[in-house]
Amino acid sequence: MSFKKSKPNAANFCSALSKQFGYGSTSSAKTLQMGSLYGASKTLKKSHFILSSIAKTNPINFRFSHCQNHRCLLDSTRSFSSNSPQHDNRDNTNVDLTQYPPERIRNFSIIAHVDHGKSTLADRLLELTGTIKRGHGQPQYLDKLQVERERGITVKAQTATMFYRNELNGPGTSEAHNPSSFLLNLIDTPGHVDFSYEVSRSLAACQGALLVVDAAQGVQAQTVANFYLAFESELTIIPVINKIDQPTADPDRVKAQLKSMFDLDPSEALLTSAKTGQGLEHVLPAVIERIPPPRGIINSSLRMLLLDSYYDEYKGVICHVAVVDGTLRKGDKISSAATGQAYEIVDVGIMHPELTPTGVLLTGQVGYVVTGMRSTKEARIGDTLYHNKSIVEPLPGFKPAKHMVFSGLYPADGSDFEVLNHAIERLTCNDASVSVTKETSTALGLGFRCGFLGLLHMDVFHQRLEQEYGAHVISTVPTVPYIFEYSDGRYVGSVITLCSERRGQQLEYSFIDSQRAFMKYRLPLREIVVDFYNELKSLTSGYASFDYEDSEYQQADMVKLDILLNGQPVDAMATIVHNLKAQRVGRELVEKLKKFIDRQMFEITIQAAIGSKVIARETISAMRKNVLAKCYGGDVTRKRKLLEKQKEGKKRMKRVGSVDIPQEAFHQLLRVS
Ligand SMILES: Nc1nc2c(ncn2[C@@H]2O[C@H](COP(=O)(O)OP(=O)(O)OP(=O)(O)O)[C@@H](O)[C@H]2O)c(=O)[nH]1
């Protein structure tokens, strides 16, 4: 499966806020719920599913002059700002963080729907502040993972520290004495719904968020979801209408949406083009003016929130932290509230944007620490770190991730279990939203049962295992639920038909404006986990978008569909389907398997069965060895004897032979709904 920014495919986008189907035949079906965004205001409840479609908009001129009188100089000449994107681990003693008390710190995230321009805007802000060199040749600088670059999407939130000061205080004024120098921590977040856990974690370190909205596409499903994440975290939200350079940009329409859906004052919206640079000079002044400084207590005991972590071959576990109260210095002895383990701070610094040692982190600052943690399991995301022997109230931490898609992960070669074990342990250090338990399959041997936030998340996790740790993985059919949001105007009819075919129950249907509709459906996750999103996109010419929320379990007529190879059930291929669809799904599964299993020296029967009842069957005939090749004109009894012997041998092989199932066959099964 692959997910490209421009052409999302169904399987990937169908990520899930869902729980695992029960695996027994008596389990109930999982349902999905779409929610309406209608009438969103500060009192609104979080919405569930959105279906919206946007007709092409006409180009429109806009006039907007917010912040036009604000004069600012983005300081790119400071001695500690780097002009090189690759300056990892400089011993940057010039960075004196003690010059930045909380009132001169602003921590903010950039949040948006997929592709609305978060990472590009982050690039521009890093360039404007001299944090990275202009035209560094690497767009979306903070998207560092190979998987992010290949797919063109952000999957990990990334923090970067920038330094910024106003011209009004005089260019050239020394950093130490310039009262309006600011330390800004920017967190670029992913837009895809599968990675919203990254967004919510990032928001915990922020007091404000730039809500970026594409000037042509307007408010989309993840705009709404992310708005509510920020709103519920009580952050100051600055709306940024981006991509105003596009011919179809219609900022006035977007402003009206922001007002009607979120009660955001249209006059507060910034108009930008991260591509051309238009309007960007107003962004950081707005951040400084509107977002409050962090509220921590300087003279209090240290309390530090563990935001994220990753494993570095040389340094061990590196933790990203936000200092909520107090001060942290290199050499300090700290403890973990979650595990009670004690550590010494070996290194501390900021991401500027690479690791830059500073020796200290003060109240309100965001940075990294190296503590000599030996095991990745010790780094508990959401943990509170504090000075040894001090008594502190632990911070609230994060809500646990809700796993919606569960899949078995097995080493492609059974003997590589330890390699996979090691790889999963390291990767989950950097992706705490994945749950992992060991399991055994008779067909695939020792492996893991993993919970993901969605199919794209699952797919990205597989890819990262391969790319970053060289582990080759077979994944089993996900036992998963999904939820969506859509928007549509002109395509409403076909969306309704699609949802009805998928056993959806319409809960709400309303229009946001003349071109957009919101629909709320309760859908069985099983029905949308595969291909639903592709169909939705193709039916609506790509205009529909969706978001989803877990709904309650519902009673449903579900059956367990087993796949048998030569009479032996393959547990990894068993799936739960609705009784009405069992016949069709069974037939599709055996037909697919027939295509992907190679002929062998014996006949292979592939069956789909519910309990003892076989509902579909295919046969792969045996490869025929010409046992008569050497009988030049021999007598007919001799030939018959040889053929009889071959037949006997084949029967035996069939009985004892094990069928080789290629990895591709497992992947193909994922695509049958
Ligand atoms: N015309 C135009 N294109 C832009 C602008 N900003 C970003 N883009 C383009 O929009 C596409 C998506 O930009 P990204 O910055 O990757 O979007 P994103 O929101 O970070 O995407 P995800 O992280 O995947 O959610 C890229 O092709 C950018 O070049 C803009 O102001 N104008």
Side-chain angles (χ1 to χ4, degrees), residues 29 33 170 270 348 421 488 539 555 572 581 604:
Q33 187 171 9
L270 305 179
V348 53
N421 188 15
D488 187 318
L539 286 173
Q555 198 80 36
K581 294 195 167 184
I604 301 167

Side-chain angles (χ1 to χ4, degrees), residues 5 112-121 140 143 152-155 188-192 242-246 272-276:
K5 226 173 187 179
H113 187 74
V114 182
D115 268 2
H116 282 199
K118 295 174 294 296
S119 303
T120 311
L121 178 63
Q140 285 92 27
D143 288 348
I153 55 167
T154 306
V155 304
D188 181 25
T189 62
H192 193 279
N242 189 37
K243 304 199 186 183
I244 55 170
D245 59 292
Q246 294 181 110
T272 64
S273 165
K275 187 174 179 182
T276 66

Side-chain angles (χ1 to χ4, degrees), residues 488-500 509 519 521 539-540:
D488 187 318
R490 297 171 305 182
Y491 303 104
V492 160
S494 37
V495 171
I496 291 175
T497 311
L498 175 66
C499 291
S500 313
Y509 175 23
M519 294 182 194
Y521 268 86
L539 286 173
T540 60

